[in-house]
Structure formats: C-alpha cells, structure tokens
Amino acid sequence: MPVDYDNETFYSSEELSQILRVTPEDVIAFVKDKNFNTVKLQNVIHIPKNTLEDFFDKYFSFQGITGDRNYYRIPDWLKNSTSPWAITLTKMYQKTFNYPSPLSPEQGEFLKSLVCNIKPKNVLEIGCFTGISTIWMAAGLEQIGNPATIHSVDLFDDIMPWLPHRYGYLSNPLEFAQESVATAQLSHRIKFHKMNSQEMGKKYHEIINEPIDFLFIDGDHTKRGCLTDLILFYPHVSIGGYILLHDIYPEDCDWDGPRFVIDKFLQNNSHFDLVEVNTSPNNFGIALIRKLSIDRKLDFAARLLKTPSWQRIKNNPIGKIMKKLILN
C-alpha cells in the first residue's frame, strides 16, 4: 500500500518488487543506477509516486520488453469512425495500462448493442477501470437518443502493471476516465462515483434513488466481493431489468467470483432468465441475466447487509448461522 510522507505519496521497494516479480534488492539497485529519488521510511526504500510512470517505462525498456507489450486489436470500423466516442476509444485501447482488464472492442460492441436494444432508463456500472465500458454504454444511449444516466462506481486506485499481461501504469484513473468521456462528448450521460460498491449500496437512495434497468457488475471478482455486489444492488433492479456479469469463466480469466454467484444463486433459479455468452478475443465470458420476479432470499440478504447491526454480529455464532442460511 502507498504511504504518505511530507505531502507526497510513496511506494516501497518491497511492493514494487512484488509487482515486478523480482527481489527488493533488484529494485533498489535499479533505482540507484537510474538515479531515481528515494526516501527511507521505517528502514525501507520508497519511491515517489510521481516518478512511477518513468520508473516502469525505464525498467521494462531495461528488460528489453518494450516492444512486447500487449494491446487489443482494434477493428477497422472503429479505427475509421469519425465519431468522437470511437476516436476516443481507439486512443484508449492503445494505452499499455488498458490491457487486458477492460472489455475488448468485440465485447464493447456487444455491450453497446445490448444498451441500444434494452433501452434502459437508468444504468449502474460497478467497476469502471478507466472508462472504456462506460463509453461503450454511453455511445449506445447516444445512438438511440435515450436520456438515461450511467452511474459508474469505482475506487479508481492506481493501475499497476500485472505481469505478464499488463505493462502500463496509470496514477489517476478517475481523471483519465473523466477526460476521456469529455473528449468522447459523452459527459452529459455519465456520473462517476469514487467509492467502493458497498458504500454506494448503503447510500443508494441518497445518491440515485431510482430503479436500475441495467446493472453491470464488473468490480471485485472474488466470491465475497461479487456476491456482495449482487446482494446490495439486486433489490434496486426493476422487474424485467437486466444484470450483466463479466469474467464468468475462471479457467480463462482466473477469477471465480462471478462463476460462484451464477452457480450458487442464479442458475436454475425461477426468478431469473440467464444466458452465458462466449467472448472474443479472450473468452472471459459474459452472463446476461433478466430479473423476472423477487427472490426473497436475496432480498432478505440485502436488507441484512445494510443494517448497522450486521457488522457487529456477522462473525459471531448467530451471524455465521445466518450466512449459512443465505448461502444454502
């Protein structure tokens, strides 16, 4: 975790070594060789956050992997489009930090088509990353002249390299997303919320207070995180409304949360229609779910999760029994 010191933010050599899969001594030797500024905090070398982009670029160049960075292939129709949103997306896809986490162009086009056909009055996105999926959805709303608003929730933490897939770094994802949306001329359709999804869930009626016609869950991909997002926002989805889950195939995406939620709560559940869709170029998978009626168990779990007393009892015997009742 970054630390603040003397009005600056720093990352430790130990944390950077874990990201780069080398030893802390390797990191320290590199920063000394390249004359990066450092400070010693609690006897550990730290590097200023405002030099990290330069640090990673020089490190990967030093390792000889500058030319091997991964990008999504951009289809000709998107590259040749003169629409501001398409031009913006093309530039976003060319950033090294935008692979492989955001939706691919093929998945984005599918998402845009869904929005055009569903015609939602209100959209909630859990997990924005840098705003690529947000722009795809907003472009769909723009195409059909739908006045709906997209509420997009994310922590907007620094985006770090994720070897061997991602080699880029972004220090301020929220600023990047806001600037990209403005360049795409879609600011009027999107509201960003820098917070965790649990905070949004508990304050939903204060912040949005409208039914959700389209809920896109692409945030915390752990079992607990994905289930919490479903439980918190499911009650706000209108009857006939849609829920979209990304990264549903653990064998391809290395996340098991969305698959767990599908198998445990949504599959073979008469309150939902569900279809799984293969995706390209990486088959991380997408599940489209339609809410047909109220699921009393999920409704009860949502009310329970929002009560202040739940935090006090969730780990005691009564709380554990209630969790078992919800999960079984």
Side-chain angles (χ1 to χ4, degrees):
M1 293 294 291
V3 296
D4 293 326
Y5 172 75
D6 197 21
N7 297 319
E8 280 194 80
T9 301
F10 295 85
Y11 282 85
S12 73
S13 54
E14 294 176 348
E15 183 169 2
L16 294 175
S17 72
Q18 293 174 5
I19 292 169
L20 297 172
R21 301 182 179 181
V22 297
T23 67
E25 290 74 23
D26 290 332
V27 172
I28 293 169
F30 180 77
V31 297
K32 286 183 177 178
D33 181 63
K34 300 300 180 183
N35 297 314
F36 281 98
N37 292 328
T38 62
V39 297
K40 185 175 281 189
L41 303 174
Q42 296 182 335
N43 212 34
V44 176
I45 295 295
H46 284 69
I47 301 169
K49 174 179 173 176
N50 60 15
T51 65
L52 280 187
E53 184 174 359
D54 189 34
F55 166 79
F56 285 123
D57 279 344
K58 288 181 176 177
Y59 182 82
F60 293 134
S61 179
F62 172 74
Q63 293 294 325
I65 56 176
T66 306
D68 296 332
R69 303 183 184 187
N70 296 319
Y71 302 90
Y72 281 119
R73 184 192 66 82
I74 303 171
D76 289 340
W77 73 264
L78 187 61
K79 283 190 291 188
N80 297 331
S81 174
T82 58
S83 298
W85 64 266
I87 295 171
T88 301
L89 282 173
T90 298
K91 292 178 180 178
M92 293 173 78
Y93 277 122
Q94 293 170 343
K95 300 294 185 181
T96 54
F97 49 75
N98 268 331
Y99 182 91
S101 297
L103 297 185
S104 68
E106 292 82 0
Q107 295 170 40
E109 186 179 8
F110 175 73
L111 180 62
K112 175 175 173 286
S113 178
L114 278 177
V115 169
C116 287
N117 283 278
I118 292 171
K119 300 178 182 178
K121 296 178 182 177
N122 214 3
V123 179
L124 177 62
E125 178 183 40
I126 305 300
C128 166
F129 200 60
T130 64
I132 283 179
S133 54
T134 323
I135 289 176
W136 276 113
M137 289 189 289
L141 295 176
E142 193 77 359
Q143 178 176 314
I144 61 175
N146 190 325
T149 298
I150 299 171
H151 294 273
S152 186
V153 180
D154 202 294
L155 290 171
F156 294 106
D157 289 335
D158 293 9
I159 295 173
M160 291 290 183
W162 175 37
L163 305 185
H165 308 290
R166 181 170 63 236
Y167 293 93
Y169 166 76
L170 181 62
S171 65
N172 193 332
L174 176 57
E175 181 179 72
F176 178 84
Q178 289 171 329
E179 290 176 354
S180 298
V181 165
T183 303
Q185 299 182 16
L186 293 170
S187 297
H188 58 293
R189 297 203 170 275
I190 298 164
K191 291 183 180 179
F192 290 113
H193 303 273
K194 183 178 171 63
M195 60 177 65
N196 65 46
S197 57
Q198 293 187 45
E199 184 180 357
M200 169 60 84
K202 292 171 183 176
K203 296 181 178 179
Y204 184 86
H205 290 295
E206 301 172 28
I207 299 173
I208 301 176
N209 197 28
E210 293 179 31
I212 303 168
D213 295 316
F214 191 79
L215 170 63
F216 184 22
I217 299 178
D218 194 20
D220 186 340
H221 284 50
T222 63
K223 290 181 180 179
R224 176 176 291 183
C226 192
L227 176 57
T228 298
D229 286 342
L230 176 70
I231 289 174
L232 280 174
F233 299 107
Y234 155 81
H236 303 296
V237 176
S238 56
I239 300 296
Y242 291 85
I243 302 167
L244 193 71
L245 292 175
H246 189 224
D247 300 322
I248 65 170
Y249 298 138
E251 62 274 18
D252 293 303
C253 68
D254 294 329
W255 291 107
D256 59 2
R259 182 79 257 161
F260 168 77
V261 166
I262 290 170
D263 292 344
K264 197 73 177 177
F265 294 92
L266 304 175
Q267 195 82 268
N268 302 318
N269 185 332
S270 62
H271 299 291
F272 301 97
D273 272 340
L274 182 148
V275 61
E276 297 182 13
V277 182
N278 290 349
T279 58
S280 179
N282 304 315
N283 190 23
F284 296 160
I286 286 175
L288 181 63
I289 303 110
R290 192 179 190 201
K291 180 178 176 180
L292 302 177
S293 56
I294 295 173
D295 185 320
R296 299 297 178 189
K297 185 197 293 190
L298 287 178
D299 236 29
F300 169 74
R303 291 196 301 272
L304 181 65
L305 201 62
K306 293 177 184 178
T307 59
S309 58
W310 174 245
Q311 296 304 315
R312 297 194 301 271
I313 69 168
K314 64 179 182 179
N315 291 319
N316 69 24
I318 295 176
K320 290 177 180 179
I321 291 171
M322 295 178 78
K323 280 190 278 189
K324 282 185 178 181
L325 289 173
I326 293 170
L327 291 173
N328 290 326

